[in-house]
Amino acid sequence: MPKAMPVINDWQIQRLKGRDFIDFKDFSVEELEYLLSLSMTVKKKFKAGELYQPLRGKTLGMIFTKASTRTRVSFEVGMYQLGGHALFLSGSDTQIGRGEPIADTAQVLSRYVDGIMIRTFAHEDVLELAKYASVPVINALTDLHHPCQVLADILTLHEHKQTLRGLTVAYVGDGNNMAHSWLMAAPKFGLNIRVASPKGYTCDAGIVAEAKEWAKQLGTEMIITEDPVEAVQQADVIYTDVWASMGQEAEQQERLRAFQGYQVNEELCKHAKPDYLFMHCLPAHRGEEVAAEIIDGPHSVVFDEAENRLHVQKAILVATMA
């Protein structure tokens, strides 16, 4: 990817209107470059104090069956800044939490709101919601994918490195939704991706196979390994996530044993490039998946990532709903 983002024509912009944002596989390289470029534009307008409200009069329904800090605040603030309104819908407060079919919820909400954001456990629930909704559906996290976070990470990486093509991202830890979204996104942004996970906690085989095809087509490197040092060797970015995600609390002790040797610490980071960036989607458990001196050290950009959730999600909202 060049330093200057490409100009995307009106036809490419228009074809994102009304689209769902569920998984990177649904978007072309050019469409993702446009979303990244739009994120930069939206952020620039915000930093300049420019009033930018293309979603005035629009409402986003936000379904949460999985708790959040960054997701709720960033989407809610983002809609407000864009001139629209965000409606928080927790699982316990809606009929979907009492057994109403997702298809019914999708059709009802589509008559009230202009877009639906959902943060939940099962990826199949998001797919079903999108199937029956007549308004755009945004995946704010499932157990399988977390595309909003990874797009924010990629914006952060571009800001710090001024380019993307040819950089290497090393993901060390659980082969979870974060790893899956990185695998699917990296080739389309010209990034090399390496994932190191212990046996029994590796990425979904189907997602790996699909991502490898993209890497082959687009000429990028992809390595799946059990060796953290192999993954981190001369990497530009070291990324990790918690070892036990929400809903996996019962596995905490078992996972702590399985992930010994996968902590991102000073010893592991010695194998990366001297100017590597450390990334984490947060919340973090210092002393488990990452040492405090790394996440709180000079290489860490975790709070830039958190801020960029706001700007990236505003771009997604504008592209799909404006």
Side-chain angles (χ1 to χ4, degrees):
M1 184 176 293
K3 289 185 179 180
M5 298 302 297
V7 175
I8 308 298
N9 62 45
D10 289 341
W11 173 73
Q12 288 172 307
I13 295 171
Q14 289 295 321
R15 73 182 183 183
L16 290 178
K17 291 181 69 174
R19 291 267 297 275
D20 301 320
F21 186 78
I22 296 174
D23 183 359
F24 287 113
K25 72 179 180 181
D26 301 324
F27 294 87
S28 68
V29 170
E30 293 76 18
E31 288 168 342
L32 290 175
E33 286 180 342
Y34 163 66
L35 280 175
L36 186 58
S37 179
L38 182 58
S39 300
M40 294 175 184
T41 299
V42 168
K43 184 173 182 177
K44 185 177 180 180
K45 289 178 181 292
F46 173 76
K47 294 295 185 180
E50 180 179 340
L51 188 65
Y52 178 63
Q53 296 188 328
L55 297 187
R56 184 171 295 185
K58 303 275 188 178
T59 300
L60 177 71
M62 305 192 307
I63 301 174
F64 283 85
T65 64
K66 201 170 188 179
S68 169
T69 298
R70 279 153 291 277
T71 299
R72 178 178 178 179
V73 175
S74 57
F75 268 106
E76 207 162 304
V77 170
M79 277 299 292
Y80 172 78
Q81 291 177 354
L82 293 170
H85 175 68
L87 186 64
F88 175 75
L89 304 166
S90 73
S92 60
D93 294 335
T94 62
Q95 295 302 328
I96 200 171
R98 299 183 179 91
E100 180 176 57
I102 292 174
D104 290 0
T105 298
Q107 293 176 83
V108 169
L109 288 181
S110 295
R111 300 192 178 210
Y112 298 147
V113 302
D114 303 282
I116 302 170
M117 179 234 82
I118 180 169
R119 177 183 169 95
T120 191
F121 291 89
H123 192 72
E124 292 75 16
D125 290 350
V126 178
L127 297 177
E128 187 173 4
L129 186 71
K131 178 180 178 180
Y132 290 98
S134 56
V135 296
V137 171
I138 298 170
N139 174 14
L141 176 142
T142 68
D143 286 350
L144 205 59
H145 291 286
H146 198 355
C148 290
Q149 177 65 56
V150 170
L151 193 57
D153 298 334
I154 288 171
L155 172 59
T156 307
L157 177 55
H158 190 277
E159 288 175 337
H160 282 269
K161 296 293 187 180
Q162 300 303 304
T163 188
L164 293 174
R165 184 163 297 282
L167 298 180
T168 296
V169 177
Y171 179 96
V172 178
D174 192 16
N176 61 11
N177 50 7
M178 287 303 311
H180 293 157
S181 284
W182 265 112
L183 284 171
M184 294 303 300
K188 293 188 175 183
F189 285 102
L191 294 160
N192 302 315
I193 179 72
R194 304 172 190 162
V195 178
S197 304
K199 189 174 295 185
Y201 297 92
T202 54
C203 295
D204 178 88
I207 291 173
V208 170
E210 189 172 0
K212 281 185 175 178
E213 280 300 310
W214 279 111
K216 183 178 178 181
Q217 290 177 33
L218 297 170
T220 62
E221 176 193 67
M222 181 172 294
I223 294 175
I224 306 296
T225 180
E226 293 179 17
D227 184 357
V229 174
E230 180 185 3
V232 167
Q233 196 70 41
Q234 290 300 296
D236 298 281
V237 177
I238 302 176
Y239 202 110
T240 193
D241 191 9
V242 294
W243 291 340
S245 297
M246 195 179 303
Q248 297 172 334
E249 290 82 3
E251 305 172 26
Q252 178 76 18
Q253 294 307 312
E254 178 184 341
R255 285 174 169 266
L256 284 175
R257 288 189 293 271
F259 283 90
Q260 290 305 308
Y262 286 82
Q263 184 187 82
V264 177
N265 51 35
E266 288 185 346
E267 186 61 33
L268 182 63
C269 293
K270 288 177 182 176
H271 299 280
K273 288 184 179 177
D275 62 345
Y276 79 91
L277 299 178
F278 173 75
M279 291 186 163
H280 193 303
C281 55
L282 302 180
H285 296 159
R286 288 164 174 79
E288 289 186 14
E289 76 274 6
V290 60
E293 58 266 25
I294 299 299
I295 192 170
D296 299 320
H299 295 274
S300 178
V301 293
V302 298
F303 297 113
D304 291 344
E305 297 171 73
E307 177 190 345
N308 281 336
R309 286 285 301 276
L310 172 66
H311 307 301
V312 157
Q313 289 161 187
K314 285 166 68 175
I316 294 168
L317 292 166
V318 170
T320 59
M321 291 172 56

